[in-house]
Amino acid sequence: MYKLWEFLERAHTGPFCENDEFTFKIFMPKVKEVVKKYNIKFDPNNPVPSDDDLADRVWKAAVELFLEVGVLNVDTHRRIMVSESELKEALYHYPGRFMVGQGSDVRLWENRHPEETKAPFCIFSPDITYDEELMLPSSIAYVQEPLADGVCGPILEESIGMKIKSGAPSEMSGVLQHAMTLRQACRMVGRPGMFMVAVGTAQSDTGQIAVSNEEWGVRTSDARLIGALTEFRIDNELMNKIAHLKQYGGHIGCLSGSIYGGYAGRAEGAAVLEVAYHLVGLTIYQGTFNNSFPFHLHYTSNSGREMLWLVSIKHQAISRNSRYLSTSNGFLNAGPGTEMVLYEAAAHGLASTVSGGHLWEAAPTHNKFRNYATPVEARMACEVGHAVAMQGMTRVKANEIVNKLLAKYENNIADAPKGKSFQECYNVKTVKPETWYLDMFKKVKDEVAEMGVEFPY
Amino acid sequence: MSNIESLVKAVTEGDETAAVQAAQVVVDEKIPVGAVIDALTGGMREIGEQFARMEIFLPEMMESAHVMKAVLKVLEPAMKEQSAFSEKKGIVVLATVEGDMHEIGKDIVMNLLEVHGFEVHDMGINVNALDIVNEAVKVGANIIGVSALMTTTMPQQRDLIEILKAKGLRDQFHVIFGGAPVTSEWVEESGADSWGENAAVAVKILENVTKEK
């Protein structure tokens, strides 16, 4: 527990700053400054860049941004500042490898580098809400995926028919139902100790604290996500979650998503910011990892050309300069049951893996519609990720393939097909994908193989 | 390039120093402020359209809006003198609901509404539904916009509708919902008036609403 209380206390003792001053006078000018100073430029021809020096410059820019701007606590109006020596110390002491899960389901999760032959750690997650009656079958669907090293289950909107409301008793019901159902799914599938990142239904600090339970809930061998507020902000409720989880002993994942077109600007600024969020995760959040989902302001996705560049360069920057773990969270435009979403998943899994990232797949359909995600999209991303790691694919080759994949879908991003719901793509009773979707999966996988991805099976 | 054109250019390019200087020139030369305001409004409308076309993004739009405010401060004495205040299209109270800390979407809507001539009262994030209603009454708003970015905070949007009904105020306000998980079905179920699927759509809806009234 590196300087937990020192960092948290700085939310009360750091420099006073109001919201607008922080965003417009401190944060935005500094992002602009470091992007220019370190000559960071998006290259549309190379969505998977192989310029090590560029990756290292993105890292340096992120370090400077983080150290000089700090993180604003919006409740206390104080900036939490971390010094350069503290950051270096935190990077030095960070283990870079963790055992997660329990029993026969335990997994070693360790850092990777660009073009690394070690397989990415794969977390399967729909990142979206499901109907209450679909919670168990959809959880089983994700847990039973063979490449899943961990799982983050479907999210509930209703519990016992009540609309779940953050901070209200309905949330207490929903979070227990979420944790218990996911745990039940793990046991039913025969993976009772599987690493869970849960529970997404809990928005409030009390909701997260309520599910800390070694028997039926979220264990110390599991993880919780704690979000970062846009941009570079935190509040007391988030800090309560940090304090609780460190004392409980669970793993923390800092959930960060810089916005392309947001306060940090376009691909260059958003890439620097996303790397900087990992430094926030390492220090202030005391994280085991960041789950990183940079997204496009208009499309809420990260599978477009400029977004894949951002995803690739930030993973290269992080994995070349630290041992900090980072999962690459795919946000896709098309919906389940479409060829487009499978091409997008392949491109995201490929770009992330060869850049040194781990995988968190996937949120289809702009992460918007209830029941619109299935494990098949995640399976494509993770099978591609495993394949390209095993064959030691270079970033140059990956760039060539990603360009071919982009040619298949990038003109359709604005009008991506919504596709079909989980219950249309799966037999809900047997929890198996429908034959037509498996056939579609095979067709796309064969095409990706033709492009040069050597699938082990 | 005329002095008015120089001013509009500086505002749309987000150059505060040049814009304030140009505004002072316009004032010193006693150019009718009404014409200046019209030109600036046109420039800001173009900024909003560029944002919708993804030619510019949030930083550029925010900078222009920020510079516009600085320019209006310079023009204010002349506006008072010449009674050149343009009529607002509508008065909007905007907030992100209680328990929800997301603000970027709300900020985009706020900026677009302002550049399109609405008076906007931004209450920020994590705002209690009753406080939003009370603020709307206090400032004489005719529109309430509430954003929710989480499925678990969306119920707070419905709470606002229920409070308006309980206080007998429902008919006084057009209530528009926004936020990534919000759908037309939710808007209908909750009893809101409209759904701002994105910021540009929200502005169009509210422009139509205010035209009709």
Side-chain angles (χ1 to χ4, degrees):
Chain A
M1 192 181 288
Y2 176 77
K3 290 196 167 183
L4 171 69
W5 299 114
E6 282 113 302
F7 287 148
L8 297 188
E9 187 59 16
R10 285 175 202 175
H12 300 276
T13 58
F16 176 80
C17 188
E18 294 191 59
N19 278 344
D20 282 358
E21 183 193 0
F22 182 78
T23 299
F24 299 113
K25 303 281 186 197
I26 297 172
F27 176 79
M28 285 170 63
K30 190 65 196 178
V31 174
K32 260 190 187 176
E33 182 192 322
V34 295
V35 165
K36 191 175 175 190
K37 176 178 174 183
Y38 292 98
N39 191 28
I40 297 160
K41 286 183 182 157
F42 162 57
D43 174 5
N45 295 318
N46 291 301
V48 181
S50 42
D51 179 347
D52 289 344
D53 191 59
L54 172 66
D56 294 346
R57 294 199 309 273
V58 169
W59 172 264
K60 285 177 189 163
V63 168
E64 187 170 323
L65 176 71
F66 171 59
L67 295 179
E68 293 197 17
V69 171
V71 173
L72 180 71
N73 182 310
V74 296
D75 287 325
T76 61
H77 315 291
R78 301 278 173 171
R79 287 160 68 194
I80 302 173
M81 308 298 294
V82 174
S83 72
E84 186 176 1
S85 65
E86 286 172 332
L87 176 61
K88 283 181 177 170
E89 197 180 346
L91 286 164
Y92 179 82
H93 288 294
Y94 178 79
R97 58 211 303 256
F98 294 88
M99 303 300 288
V100 295
Q102 285 187 0
S104 58
D105 300 310
V106 77
R107 291 283 190 279
L108 171 64
W109 184 5
E110 55 186 341
N111 68 304
R112 303 177 68 248
H113 300 107
E115 304 178 5
E116 163 98 46
T117 54
K118 198 187 304 166
F121 190 89
C122 294
I123 296 177
F124 277 58
S125 173
D127 297 335
I128 197 69
T129 56
Y130 279 67
D131 294 342
E132 190 177 357
E133 59 270 26
L134 291 175
M135 182 66 181
L136 182 60
S138 56
S139 295
I140 289 172
Y142 279 88
V143 170
Q144 71 187 359
E145 284 293 318
L147 285 183
D149 296 303
V151 67
C152 181
I155 300 165
L156 283 167
E157 275 187 52
E158 285 157 1
S159 178
I160 327 177
M162 296 179 289
K163 189 88 178 164
I164 295 170
K165 189 170 166 184
S166 178
S170 57
E171 187 185 26
M172 294 302 108
S173 172
V175 298
L176 260 68
Q177 186 177 357
H178 181 141
M180 294 171 87
T181 308
L182 190 55
R183 182 63 69 207
Q184 182 188 356
C186 291
R187 189 167 290 280
M188 287 173 72
V189 167
R191 308 175 84 174
M194 191 174 198
F195 175 58
M196 290 179 7
V197 187
V199 296
T201 303
Q203 168 70 6
S204 70
D205 50 1
T206 45
Q208 284 294 355
I209 292 166
V211 293
S212 296
N213 187 288
E214 291 295 306
E215 184 189 349
W216 51 261
V218 187
R219 302 167 176 159
T220 52
S221 55
D222 297 323
R224 244 70 74 85
L225 290 180
I226 304 178
L229 299 179
T230 302
E231 298 285 9
F232 256 27
R233 295 171 195 216
I234 196 167
D235 66 11
N236 284 343
E237 196 163 27
L238 294 170
M239 297 199 342
N240 288 343
K241 293 182 190 177
I242 295 169
H244 166 70
L245 280 172
K246 292 313 289 183
Q247 294 186 325
Y248 176 61
H251 295 280
I252 291 174
C254 173
L255 178 64
S256 59
S258 67
I259 302 172
Y260 175 99
Y263 292 123
R266 303 181 192 218
E268 299 87 348
V272 171
L273 173 60
E274 190 54 34
V275 174
Y277 269 130
H278 287 68
L279 307 177
V280 175
L282 169 71
T283 53
I284 296 167
Y285 281 65
Q286 309 273 308
T288 294
F289 68 105
N290 265 46
N291 182 36
S292 170
F293 70 108
F295 63 93
H296 190 288
L297 179 66
H298 289 276
Y299 301 131
T300 325
S301 67
N302 55 26
S303 56
R305 182 173 293 273
E306 65 288 277
M307 296 309 302
L308 289 173
W309 178 88
L310 195 168
V311 164
S312 174
I313 200 67
K314 57 107 176 168
H315 279 296
Q316 293 183 44
I318 295 157
S319 62
R320 281 180 51 80
N321 291 281
S322 79
R323 286 171 288 123
Y324 191 61
L325 299 175
S326 176
T327 49
S328 187
N329 191 173
F331 271 47
L332 314 174
N333 298 285
T338 65
E339 289 187 11
M340 179 172 165
V341 81
L342 298 176
Y343 293 129
E344 290 182 83
H348 185 267
L350 174 48
S352 304
T353 303
V354 299
S355 304
H358 296 279
L359 299 179
W360 179 299
E361 304 286 358
T365 336
H366 307 289
N367 190 225
K368 179 159 181 73
F369 298 101
R370 194 202 293 209
N371 303 330
Y372 274 72
T374 85
V376 174
E377 302 88 69
R379 186 188 300 179
M380 176 60 77
C382 294
E383 285 199 10
V384 169
H386 266 254
V388 299
M390 294 300 136
Q391 73 188 85
M393 186 179 282
T394 64
R395 284 167 287 175
V396 171
K397 179 66 180 173
N399 187 57
E400 180 191 316
I401 297 174
V402 165
N403 268 316
K404 287 180 184 168
L405 288 165
L406 277 165
K408 288 188 168 289
Y409 67 81
E410 67 180 330
N411 290 335
N412 302 320
I413 285 176
D415 304 305
K418 187 180 175 187
K420 297 177 188 297
S421 65
F422 171 76
Q423 57 272 43
E424 291 174 291
C425 294
Y426 267 65
N427 179 323
V428 177
K429 282 193 177 171
T430 61
V431 199
K432 300 286 180 207
E434 297 288 0
T435 308
W436 64 265
Y437 199 14
L438 288 176
D439 291 344
M440 185 186 285
F441 180 88
K442 169 115 186 15
K443 175 182 174 288
V444 172
K445 187 174 166 182
D446 286 347
E447 283 182 54
V448 175
E450 291 256 319
M451 294 175 188
V453 175
E454 298 166 11
F455 291 101
Y457 56 88
Chain B
M1 191 180 287
S2 71
N3 289 330
I4 292 183
E5 285 168 343
S6 299
L7 172 59
V8 173
K9 183 172 182 287
V11 171
T12 53
E13 289 177 355
D15 185 341
E16 186 171 355
T17 309
V20 168
Q21 279 174 359
Q24 196 56 56
V25 170
V26 163
V27 170
D28 293 345
E29 294 190 354
K30 301 196 183 309
I31 295 172
V33 183
V36 178
I37 297 291
D38 285 348
L40 284 169
T41 305
M44 291 308 286
R45 179 178 284 276
E46 174 57 21
I47 286 288
E49 284 163 9
Q50 284 177 13
F51 178 79
R53 293 194 300 265
M54 290 189 279
E55 291 165 11
I56 62 167
F57 284 96
L58 195 57
E60 296 97 317
M61 189 167 75
M62 293 295 231
E63 277 174 2
S64 290
H66 174 76
V67 174
M68 179 74 172
K69 282 178 187 167
V71 164
L72 287 176
K73 271 189 187 165
V74 177
L75 298 178
E76 199 173 352
M79 288 162 75
K80 277 183 185 161
E81 197 179 298
Q82 299 175 31
S83 300
F85 291 100
S86 56
E87 194 178 330
K88 292 289 177 189
K89 284 181 182 167
I91 301 175
V92 186
V93 166
L94 270 188
T96 301
V97 297
E98 188 167 26
D100 200 319
M101 307 302 288
H102 295 86
E103 71 176 348
I104 199 162
K106 171 188 65 61
D107 286 353
I108 292 168
V109 173
M110 175 183 72
N111 275 279
L112 278 180
L113 285 172
E114 282 182 343
V115 303
H116 282 83
F118 288 83
E119 178 180 326
V120 182
H121 297 261
D122 176 25
M123 295 186 71
I125 55 177
N126 190 23
V127 187
N128 180 270
L130 179 58
D131 292 342
I132 298 170
V133 170
N134 287 339
E135 178 72 5
V137 171
K138 185 177 148 195
V139 302
N142 56 342
I143 296 162
I144 297 175
V146 274
S147 173
L149 263 288
M150 313 289 297
T151 57
T152 52
T153 56
M154 280 164 55
Q156 308 282 1
Q157 293 179 313
R158 186 169 56 192
D159 285 358
L160 181 128
I161 300 285
E162 296 304 321
I163 288 169
L164 286 173
K165 285 180 186 168
K167 289 172 78 77
L169 298 171
R170 181 64 190 91
D171 295 338
Q172 289 189 27
F173 302 99
H174 177 97
V175 180
I176 184 167
F177 285 178
V182 173
T183 60
S184 55
E185 290 79 17
W186 172 243
V187 168
E188 194 176 335
E189 183 188 330
S190 306
D193 297 303
S194 61
W195 172 41
E197 186 177 5
N198 59 50
V201 168
V203 172
K204 274 187 191 155
I205 289 170
L206 295 182
E207 283 193 315
N208 286 334
V209 166
T210 49
K211 265 183 212 161
E212 285 164 11
K213 291 185 177 175

